[in-house]
Amino acid sequence: MTPHPLAFHLDVITSGTVLGARPTDGPDQVTAVLGTDFAENSLDGHGMWRDYGMAEFFWQRESPDHPGVGHHLTLQVHRLSSLCSWRRNIQRSLLCSHRQN
């Protein structure tokens, strides 16, 4: 991910990809770009999506045994503030820990 969450979102908007992963890419292609840290969801066996935190990718498939065909991706902009807050807390914690040593 880019160093700043807002820069990440702007890159997705301007490029139409998430770090190079396109909405039409299959699940394996997206995983090759974004890694294996995701939550996988399916409601009816014909639709599946993976939640990578700041972005979610969606696929349609004939059945759970068939590979998915890329349908769309969504950005979870509402998670931006919690990511910034989480990052600040981690930085504060590391700074305090460093000062104690």
Side-chain angles (χ1 to χ4, degrees), residues 10-11 22 28 37 92:
L10 290 174
D11 181 64
R22 299 175 310 227
D28 291 341
D37 187 15
R92 241 184 262 129

Side-chain angles (χ1 to χ4, degrees), residues 36-53:
T36 58
D37 187 15
F38 59 81
E40 186 169 299
N41 306 281
S42 179
L43 295 176
D44 61 5
H46 296 285
M48 187 255 295
W49 73 97
R50 288 183 178 169
D51 181 347
Y52 288 90

Side-chain angles (χ1 to χ4, degrees), residues 32-86:
V33 173
L34 301 181
T36 58
D37 187 15
F38 59 81
E40 186 169 299
N41 306 281
S42 179
L43 295 176
D44 61 5
H46 296 285
M48 187 255 295
W49 73 97
R50 288 183 178 169
D51 181 347
Y52 288 90
M54 296 303 286
E56 296 178 356
F57 281 77
F58 294 78
W59 296 274
Q60 292 293 321
R61 56 190 179 179
E62 190 175 316
S63 74
D65 298 331
H66 288 86
V69 175
H71 190 267
H72 69 280
L73 67 89
T74 61
L75 288 180
Q76 302 300 322
V77 178
H78 65 281
R79 296 178 185 165
L80 182 60
S81 63
S82 63
L83 179 64
C84 291
S85 174
W86 174 82

